[in-house]
Amino acid sequence: QVQLVESGGGLMQAGGSLRLSCAASGSILSIVTMGWYRQAPGKERESVAVATSGGSTNYIDSVKGRFTISRDNAKNTVYLQMNSLKPEDTGVYYCKVVLRRSYGSTGSYSQEFWGQGTQVTVSS
């Protein structure tokens, strides 16, 4: 089975920086996407940043210019560098990995795995 282990969350004052990491282990064959999602108190979970296998990245508008997602494919790890943190960045951050599985000579399907979540709290 695949496991995702997150680290790097914590408490930070506004304007500070944090770096989140998520390492995938287990039966890893082909990673389609790796991304970060967050859920603030009383709000629905939202996509923060996603990195595709082709190298493209996507960010929610509120973090553009402040957050950077990166991947180390050799280590099956995704990072989220968060700079200029704001109180509205507070929430539980979850790592998600989408894997591509193949069977036979032509069949394929996707599997989705989530990390345990790490708390990020930004004080004003």
Side-chain angles (χ1 to χ4, degrees):
Q1 193 64 269
V2 174
Q3 293 181 328
L4 303 181
V5 180
E6 300 180 32
S7 63
L11 175 65
M12 182 61 63
Q13 292 183 343
S17 299
L18 287 173
R19 181 179 174 87
L20 306 183
S21 65
C22 174
S25 62
S27 182
I28 307 296
L29 296 178
S30 180
I31 298 177
V32 180
T33 64
M34 302 186 77
W36 291 95
Y37 298 73
R38 70 185 178 191
Q39 187 167 19
K43 298 183 179 180
E44 297 183 358
R45 187 176 300 183
E46 64 180 353
S47 175
V48 177
V50 176
T52 69
S53 59
S56 298
T57 58
N58 298 101
Y59 299 91
I60 190 172
D61 287 343
S62 62
V63 308
K64 289 181 178 178
R66 299 188 298 117
F67 290 10
T68 302
I69 186 171
S70 60
R71 293 172 56 171
D72 186 336
N73 292 327
K75 298 181 179 180
N76 293 320
T77 300
V78 62
Y79 305 92
L80 185 66
Q81 179 66 47
M82 304 184 293
N83 298 326
S84 302
L85 284 165
K86 302 177 180 179
E88 53 262 41
D89 295 320
T90 294
V92 179
Y93 284 68
Y94 298 90
C95 172
K96 186 181 80 172
V97 174
V98 178
L99 304 180
R100 182 180 181 88
R101 306 290 197 186
S102 299
Y103 61 91
S105 61
T106 184
S108 65
Y109 63 98
S110 298
Q111 287 186 309
E112 183 178 287
F113 298 91
W114 290 86
Q116 80 280 5
T118 183
Q119 177 70 45
V120 172
T121 302
V122 183
S123 61
S124 60

